[in-house]
Amino acid sequence: MDILHTERLLLRPWRDSDAEALYRYASDPEVGPLAGWAPHSCVEESLEIIRTLFRSDHIWAIEWRATGEPIGCIGYYTHTESNIGIGADEAEAGYWVARPYWNQGIATEALREVTDYCFRVKGFRTLWADCFPHNVASRRVMEKCGFVDTGRVNRLSHLQVGADMEVRIMRLDRKDEHGK
């Protein structure tokens, strides 16, 4: 797995030793439901999620370099994993950041790094993302990174929280060497 660096962040694989930090932030009832998952109920659940869902070559812990602590998660899903119905040369991005780190540009910084990686290294031609209409902050992050609203909505039946609600679908196309 590639490790990605930004000025303030290290995007790296999740480790079992991250379980306590993950639980501390993922148990916050204001975080998970905005992304479609239930708050974590114990450290053991967080460890299980690290071992089963986050062990992937395209899901990173967002580590705050100043402390060395994971403060969120970011990654992408390929066409076989996405719920949007995308092509083989496309991916769907997703992320969350712990509430104490909201409104500091962290999600934007991480998403910019991942979109650059997806286009430059992985060769995807289009990236997709989605958010609940009431998650204005997440939509704003996507817009700052160049994603545009497609006007499409979708229901994501696999979600733990919000499976009965629509999500807005956003899109970002890779620019060719001429900026088009």
Side-chain angles (χ1 to χ4, degrees):
M1 170 180 225
D2 290 318
I3 296 175
L4 309 177
H5 304 264
T6 71
E7 182 180 332
R8 301 180 296 166
L9 308 173
L10 180 67
L11 307 182
R12 59 150 174 92
W14 283 90
R15 304 185 274 251
D16 286 357
S17 59
D18 294 328
E20 286 189 30
L22 176 59
Y23 171 68
R24 181 170 46 261
Y25 296 127
S27 62
D28 183 335
E30 298 295 318
V31 175
L34 288 174
W37 44 270
H40 293 196
S41 60
C42 61
V43 173
E44 293 75 21
E45 178 184 11
S46 294
L47 178 59
E48 183 66 17
I49 287 170
I50 289 170
R51 290 179 173 171
T52 60
L53 298 178
F54 292 173
R55 289 274 159 81
S56 164
D57 66 351
H58 49 269
I59 296 180
W60 294 269
I62 300 173
E63 180 181 300
W64 186 242
R65 291 175 81 165
T67 63
E69 179 180 54
I71 59 166
C73 186
I74 192 163
Y76 66 88
Y77 301 103
T78 64
H79 72 284
T80 60
E81 303 162 316
S82 174
N83 295 290
I84 297 176
I86 60 177
D89 57 350
E90 302 175 330
E92 176 187 353
Y95 54 87
W96 65 268
V97 172
R99 187 163 33 149
Y101 297 90
W102 288 358
N103 300 312
Q104 297 179 44
I106 292 166
T108 303
E109 187 175 327
L111 184 58
R112 281 189 178 132
E113 186 67 19
V114 168
T115 57
D116 178 64
Y117 174 81
C118 285
F119 290 142
R120 187 178 42 79
V121 176
K122 302 308 281 182
F124 295 119
R125 83 175 158 82
T126 301
L127 293 179
W128 300 87
D130 55 53
C131 63
F132 293 117
H134 64 275
N135 192 346
V136 177
S138 187
R139 179 187 172 112
R140 188 71 191 113
V141 166
M142 292 175 211
E143 291 171 343
K144 287 179 188 176
C145 293
F147 285 78
V148 294
D149 191 336
T150 64
R152 292 176 43 206
V153 295
N154 195 14
R155 290 190 193 274
L156 306 176
S157 61
H158 72 284
L159 296 179
Q160 292 175 321
V161 176
D164 60 331
M165 296 189 306
E166 293 181 333
V167 293
R168 302 290 307 174
I169 299 176
M170 308 286 283
R171 176 185 179 133
L172 176 65
D173 292 312
R174 178 178 67 208
K175 292 181 178 22
D176 66 20
E177 62 274 3
H178 305 291
K180 299 178 184 176

